[in-house]
Structures are given as structure tokens and as C-alpha cells.
Amino acid sequence: MAVTYLKRGKPSEERSQDDRRVRETVETILADIEARGDVAVRELSEKFDRYSPPAFRLSLSEIEALMSRVSTRDMEDIRFAQTQVRNFAQAQRNSMTDIEIETLPGVILGHRNIPVQSVGCYVPGGKFPMVASAHMSVLTASVAGVPRIAAATPPFKGEPNPAVIAAMHLGGAHEIYVLGGIQAIGALAIGTQTIAPVDMLVGPGNAFVAEAKRQLYGRVGIDLFAGPTETMVIADDTVDGEICATDLLGQAEHGYNSPAVLITNSRRLAEDTLAEIDRLLALLPTADTATRSWADYGEVILCDTHEEMLQVANDIASEHVQVMTDRDDWYLANMHSYGALFLGPRTNVANGDKVIGTNHTLPTHKAGRYTGGLWVGKFLKTHSYQKITTDEAAATIGAYGSRLCLLEGFVGHAEQCNVRVRRYGHKNVPYGEAAE
């Protein structure tokens, strides 16, 4: 296998050092929130966002006032995007059915899909107001039937961003907090004097938000580890350097540590893409961020064959994978580790981020090896149940259960079965012995 790196990102050792610093910072802050509650949250908001309102939760009148500042065109666009997200989420929900079957005469087994009872939805917005993240988390939770949806977003330029608040409200948030970063995640998960804790946290965020969710997992549920955005372009010479460079930089502008990787079997395309990136960085308004991200986390990987490209792509397990080749459907059939696929040059990651209808909260840091992204099913818990409706079934299952429990040495377990055999099967089973 001939794989050549025409450009490499920061070594893994340096990335690990960055991760360690983030981990230590988050651990300290979460402990402070648990110890001091609202006082700590307000101090952190003042420190990181220079924001200290009378109350972090918005009232209905404040929400309405903010929404009145959103232009008619912007509101129409938000509603259009939410319709696409809602339609796809509803189709997903409709695919999940409760079941009940009779596996043996008198033996009924089933499961129910029950919504999580309270969810905290984090919507990033300190650097860029992430309007679409409200659709992806709040609206999807609403489609799932979550009865309490608490949404949090940081202030943008010193105040709540009207478009983000509008998207949260239209998406179905029951509570809206103007609160960002670790302090928002900590307050929602741990709870404070004024914020009731939730059962589950969802939503993307920077490295600190992702690490806070990781540390709180177990205390609350989380959707997935959705850290700094990642993008991968798999391309051959059916496309050119401009479109590849545009798709790489379109995600690199998210933050200073957003990996962007090109995998190709065309040296010409690889070199043209590198040249185009230099050209576009001279034009891009967000070049300060994108340049640093590309310098430290950008990679260009040259392979001999599509099979090699596939193996490298699956090993990296990137969040976003843009495929532009002469065999896009082959990649769809054979890719197994990723967040979401964007097939063909006509679509792109920004479509998925903002409007097309699939969810943009996706696994990062190789988590695509074991989980998909946020979807309506993440807000639902599948709970099983059983019942036995006849004496005969109680005795039959009880006898099997009795013997199998004693096979493992569990006498108390066996007696749970034996007492049913005695009562419903009318058999005299000695205490602690196997039923026949």
C-alpha cells in the first residue's frame, strides 16, 4: 500500500498535550460549579463572555423582543430549514415502532420507545452564531416528544443573538438560557440554585464543551463526543483543485483546531488543491482562523487506488466526508466509519450544516467507529417489558428458569421461579432445588 503525505498536520504528541490542558481546565471549572452553583456560573460568564445579566434565562417577552429584530427574509429561511430538519426527523421517528409479540402461548414480550424526560441543548455562538445547531438539537428533541427542553447559547457581541433565539423558540425550547461554554454545560448537567439539572446533554461545541460533556457522561447522558469540526474530502481527477480547496477551507474556518484532510489518487489534484488553498486564504475573511487550522491540522494524503483511499478514510473516521469521485455510490456501500457522507460535487458539508435536513451534530475524534450522529432516536429510550397471561406458561417458563438459575449457583433466583411453579403449576418443588 503506497500512501504518501504531501502535507501533515500537528504531530499526535502535540495534540495530546493540547487535550491534557483542556481536560485539566474543564475538571477545575466543573468542580467549582458543583461547589458554588449560580455564583460560580456568573463569575465564569463574566470572565469568559463579559456577560452578567439580571437573569440568564430569557423571559417570553425578551424572546419575543429579540425575534422582532430578525428580518422577514431571515425568519423565512429559518422556517424553511426547520421544515427540512423536522420532515427528516419525523420520518426517522416513524421508523421506530413499539412492538409486542407472543413468543410462546401465554408469554408476551414487548418494547416501548420512551422520550428522555429532560434534555439540555447547547448551541454554540460565541464566535459565530450557530443558528442551525438549534434546529439540529432543539427541534429534533421536540419531534421525539421530550417534555422539557432547556437550550443554552453564549452571548454574541455582548447580547443574545436574535436569530439563534428565534430558532430555539421556533424549534420548541421550553427554557432558553444565554449562557456559554463549560459554565452552560456544567449548569445544565449538575444543576444550580436556579437551573434544574437535565437528564441528557446534546449539541456540538469547542474542545472545552466536548470535554465537559465527556467528564459529565454517566452523571447525565450525552449524544456523542462532538468536538471541534472535522472534514475530509475524498476526490479523484473528476473534480478540480478549486472545489476541493473550497470544501476544505469551508470547515477549517470553524476554529483553530479543525482538521481538514484531502485523500486522493491524483497527484495533480493534490498539488492543485494546495495551490488553491494558498490563493483562497488570501481572499477568505476568516483566513486568520482557517490559516492556523490548515497549518496545524490540514493534511493531504496521496494513494494509489480507491481501495487504499477507502482504507485510509475508514481509519481516520472523519466527522464530515465529502466524496467526489467516479464511484461515489461505491464509497457509500463500503464506508463504515464516519459522521455523515456528502456524495457528489453537487452537495457539500455546508448544506448538511445548515439546511438540507440531516443532522449536523456528528461524531468526532474517531467516534464514528462506534456511533452515528445525533438523530431523533438519541432522544428515545427503548424499554422492554414482559408478561405471562396463563398458568401453564408461568409453570413452563418457571421450570426452565429454575434449572438455569441453579446451573449458575443462584438459589434465590431459582426460588423466584420455583414459587411460580408451585402456585401456578401446582407442583411440589423442594426449597432450593430445581423444578422438573
Side-chain angles (χ1 to χ4, degrees), residues 352-368:
D353 278 349
K354 310 302 178 189
V355 67
I356 206 166
T358 54
N359 206 291
H360 79 190
T361 304
L362 301 167
T364 62
H365 286 294
K366 290 183 174 286

Side-chain angles (χ1 to χ4, degrees), residues 370-417:
Y370 57 82
T371 186
L374 183 61
W375 69 296
V376 70
K378 289 279 189 179
F379 298 103
L380 296 164
K381 306 169 292 157
T382 302
H383 295 276
S384 63
Y385 63 88
Q386 59 170 271
K387 57 185 174 182
I388 294 178
T389 59
T390 67
D391 291 351
E392 293 80 6
T396 299
I397 292 293
Y400 278 102
S402 170
R403 296 192 296 272
L404 289 168
C405 290
L406 287 172
L407 180 65
E408 296 179 357
F410 287 110
V411 175
H413 284 60
E415 276 303 306
Q416 289 181 267
C417 300

Side-chain angles (χ1 to χ4, degrees), residues 270-333:
E271 293 173 347
D272 287 352
T273 300
L274 285 167
E276 278 295 306
I277 285 174
D278 289 340
R279 183 182 72 83
L280 292 174
L281 283 173
L283 305 173
L284 190 66
T286 53
D288 286 350
T289 300
T291 298
R292 183 176 173 190
S293 180
W294 177 248
D296 288 347
Y297 291 88
E299 296 187 334
V300 175
I301 303 172
L302 181 62
C303 301
D304 285 340
T305 66
H306 282 282
E307 287 74 18
E308 290 178 353
M309 292 161 66
L310 175 70
Q311 181 174 335
V312 172
N314 277 324
D315 287 344
I316 293 173
S318 185
E319 177 189 15
H320 306 102
V321 180
Q322 173 86 41
V323 182
M324 297 181 289
T325 68
D326 63 5
R327 60 196 74 189
D328 298 343
D329 286 341
W330 179 81
Y331 280 95
L332 174 61

Side-chain angles (χ1 to χ4, degrees), residues 36-310:
R36 299 193 296 134
D38 283 334
V39 174
V41 167
R42 184 167 294 278
E43 288 179 4
L44 290 162
S45 181
E46 291 170 346
K47 177 180 179 181
F48 293 118
D49 292 325
R50 298 179 182 177
Y51 187 71
S52 184
F56 289 106
R57 180 175 176 177
L58 294 178
S59 65
L60 181 58
S61 62
E62 289 172 320
I63 292 169
E64 291 172 344
L66 287 162
M67 290 178 66
S68 71
R69 294 165 52 187
V70 182
S71 72
T72 300
R73 179 63 178 271
D74 286 346
M75 194 67 81
E76 289 173 353
D77 289 345
I78 289 170
R79 292 182 187 277
F80 177 84
Q82 291 202 347
T83 297
Q84 312 319 305
V85 174
R86 182 180 291 105
N87 288 345
F88 190 60
Q90 188 62 60
Q92 291 179 314
R93 178 64 185 91
N94 294 344
S95 74
M96 302 179 67
T97 58
D98 295 352
I99 63 170
E100 184 175 281
I101 61 171
E102 188 171 22
T103 57
L104 292 170
V107 177
I108 308 297
L109 306 181
H111 76 225
R112 296 180 60 222
N113 295 298
I114 302 172
V116 174
Q117 293 300 288
S118 59
V119 171
C121 299
Y122 185 71
V123 177
K127 189 170 186 180
F128 299 103
M130 299 287 286
V131 177
S133 288
H135 321 327
M136 307 301 175
S137 58
V138 174
L139 191 153
T140 308
S142 182
V143 171
V146 176
R148 178 190 169 220
I149 303 171
T153 189
F156 181 70
K157 297 181 178 178
E159 65 173 359
N161 181 270
V164 172
I165 302 304
M168 287 175 160
H169 183 69
L170 294 174
H174 304 107
E175 304 164 23
I176 297 178
Y177 299 90
V178 184
L179 196 60
I182 308 169
Q183 58 271 27
I185 298 298
L188 288 169
I190 297 167
T192 71
Q193 292 85 348
T194 59
I195 301 175
V198 297
D199 297 323
M200 183 179 184
L201 290 169
V202 303
N206 61 21
F208 294 93
V209 167
E211 175 60 20
K213 287 169 63 180
R214 189 193 69 80
Q215 292 189 21
L216 289 162
Y217 177 57
R219 183 170 191 154
V220 294
I222 65 170
D223 47 357
L224 61 153
F225 300 123
T229 195
E230 304 166 349
T231 200
M232 173 190 292
V233 173
I234 299 174
D236 59 19
D237 56 13
T238 59
V239 292
D240 57 43
E242 180 188 26
I243 197 168
C244 292
T246 300
D247 286 342
L248 291 165
L249 293 180
Q251 297 300 303
E253 73 175 358
H254 256 290
Y256 71 90
N257 55 353
S258 297
V261 179
L262 171 66
I263 300 176
T264 184
N265 57 0
S266 168
R267 180 174 286 273
R268 178 192 60 80
L269 178 64
E271 293 173 347
D272 287 352
T273 300
L274 285 167
E276 278 295 306
I277 285 174
D278 289 340
R279 183 182 72 83
L280 292 174
L281 283 173
L283 305 173
L284 190 66
T286 53
D288 286 350
T289 300
T291 298
R292 183 176 173 190
S293 180
W294 177 248
D296 288 347
Y297 291 88
E299 296 187 334
V300 175
I301 303 172
L302 181 62
C303 301
D304 285 340
T305 66
H306 282 282
E307 287 74 18
E308 290 178 353
M309 292 161 66
L310 175 70

